[in-house]
Amino acid sequence: MPIQRRKFVAALGAGAVASTAGCSSSDGSGGDGNGNGSGSGDGSDSEPVGVAGETLTLTTTTSTYDTGLLNEIHTDFEEMYGVTVDAVAQGTGAALETARNGDSDIVMVHARGLEDEFMRNGYGINRRDLMFNDFVIVGPENDPAGIKEMGSATEALTAIAEAQAQFVSRGDNSGTHTKELNLWEAAGTEPGGDWYQETGTGMGEALNIANQQGAYTLSDRGTFISQRSEIDLTILVQGPIEDGPEILANPYGVMAVNPGVHENANYDLAMAYIGWITSPEVQESISEYQVNGEQLFFPRAVSEDPDFQQYVPEGWSSDDSDE
């Protein structure tokens, strides 16, 4: 791993394993992070109290689902607690809207600005940093806009716009779409015209459309890797995991729906899930998950030096509260 990449991984807290806030352990004895255990904690085989037989509705970004990660790790949680996880794959915006409407118990998404708005409006609580990968700009091998190996994502987008090369946008208010719009804004370019197509689809379908049209698109690395063998697109601009610009970092968060707003939210089970997925054991499982021999996600929940800003909207402090 290059030195710069190691620094990036370390900066996001992927390497240390000293502590976990609000955690449940993977032996079933953990609780909701407030001292309320969901298992016996005595090593017996007794079923967890209060949640067995229930269903946890998780709304999540398409990348966590399309890559197969959730199918890989959820069996452990379901067997441990005797429950079912109903993972509903949507773009980040739609996942948060579903939760905002009271139709979800927990959300797992990757657009911090949208997550902060969700928390500030009172819908989400007990947020945790979960994992990260990065975004990459992919396109056809012949690279008509000449962006290959550019060190700047914004310069690459500017070159695509100037060449009016075909670009596929998800156009769905997802975390990836939000990042794309932020990049266009940073580039000082407003995309539009026949060369720019908004699909309103998930990442997997957007990649397929870009492949069919020989177009560029912005993708999270995990989904691209999981589909690379089925498409002819290639990575032309790397993200920070491979020494590309840090503006392409892609962190994921998880948070419970506030039961004070939606009393039907299964808060106990949501907190058990948050404790479980941020535990050292499951973070290791996330780290070990691979497709075609490549790691898709890097754990971020366990760190020797926890970032307490993860629990609240970025920039928030107690001084911001009205007296």
Side-chain angles (χ1 to χ4, degrees):
M1 182 184 295
I3 292 176
Q4 194 172 7
R5 176 178 170 184
R6 286 203 301 269
K7 288 180 179 178
F8 172 73
V9 171
L12 285 179
V17 290
S19 64
T20 299
C23 11
S24 150
S25 66
S26 63
D27 64 0
S29 61
D32 63 4
N34 297 310
N36 301 316
S38 51
S40 64
D42 60 2
S44 70
D45 293 330
S46 60
E47 289 191 355
V49 176
V51 297
E54 296 182 0
T55 296
L56 178 73
T57 300
L58 165 71
T59 49
T60 183
T61 177
T62 58
S63 60
T64 60
Y65 187 85
D66 289 347
T67 56
L69 173 68
L70 297 186
N71 285 338
E72 176 73 15
I73 66 175
H74 275 174
T75 299
D76 176 60
F77 180 78
E78 291 175 327
E79 292 179 351
M80 180 186 305
Y81 288 96
V83 299
T84 299
V85 179
D86 181 13
V88 181
Q90 303 174 299
T92 287
L96 291 170
E97 183 63 22
T98 298
R100 191 177 287 111
N101 292 334
D103 296 321
S104 173
D105 304 307
I106 189 170
V107 290
M108 181 192 298
V109 290
H110 64 138
R112 187 61 196 264
L114 297 181
E115 295 170 55
D116 287 349
E117 179 184 7
F118 187 74
M119 286 191 288
R120 283 193 177 98
N121 291 334
Y123 294 104
I125 54 175
N126 297 331
R127 184 193 176 279
R128 290 294 312 275
D129 289 339
L130 177 59
M131 59 188 181
F132 70 94
N133 57 19
D134 59 0
F135 293 104
V136 291
I137 300 177
V138 303
E141 187 71 39
N142 65 345
D143 185 20
I147 68 169
K148 186 175 183 180
E149 297 181 356
M150 277 190 175
S152 168
T154 54
E155 289 180 7
L157 291 185
T158 298
I160 291 171
E162 289 177 348
Q164 296 193 2
Q166 291 295 307
F167 187 94
V168 169
S169 168
R170 285 181 57 171
D172 62 350
N173 197 34
S174 62
T176 303
H177 182 223
T178 299
K179 171 60 72 172
E180 180 213 321
L181 294 180
N182 290 340
L183 290 172
W184 285 117
E185 182 178 3
T189 302
E190 186 172 344
D194 294 340
W195 60 274
Y196 185 79
Q197 178 183 355
E198 293 184 301
T199 65
T201 64
M203 192 69 255
E205 183 60 25
L207 282 167
N208 286 329
I209 293 171
N211 184 58
Q212 293 165 9
Q213 298 183 0
Y216 297 96
T217 193
L218 181 73
S219 175
D220 69 280
R221 184 182 296 274
T223 305
F224 177 75
I225 288 174
S226 70
Q227 291 193 210
R228 179 155 51 188
S229 62
E230 303 169 11
I231 57 180
D232 295 324
L233 302 177
T234 187
I235 295 177
L236 297 170
V237 177
Q238 292 281 1
I241 287 175
E242 292 295 340
D243 299 331
E246 292 194 16
I247 195 172
L248 292 178
N250 183 28
Y252 290 75
V254 61
M255 74 186 99
V257 172
N258 187 353
V261 175
H262 292 297
E263 61 181 15
N264 61 307
N266 195 332
Y267 177 74
D268 290 344
L269 191 52
M271 289 306 297
Y273 182 91
I274 291 173
W276 169 81
I277 201 167
T278 59
S279 69
E281 293 84 357
V282 181
Q283 289 282 289
E284 183 176 0
S285 295
I286 290 172
S287 177
E288 292 174 349
Y289 181 68
Q290 296 185 346
V291 172
N292 298 324
E294 294 190 66
Q295 182 176 348
L296 302 193
F297 300 97
F298 295 80
R300 194 184 180 195
V302 181
S303 173
E304 185 176 356
D305 299 305
D307 177 12
F308 298 108
Q309 190 67 57
Q310 67 180 299
Y311 305 109
V312 295
E314 287 191 325
W316 182 91
S317 72
S318 59
D319 295 335
D320 296 333
S321 302
D322 292 333
E323 296 296 337

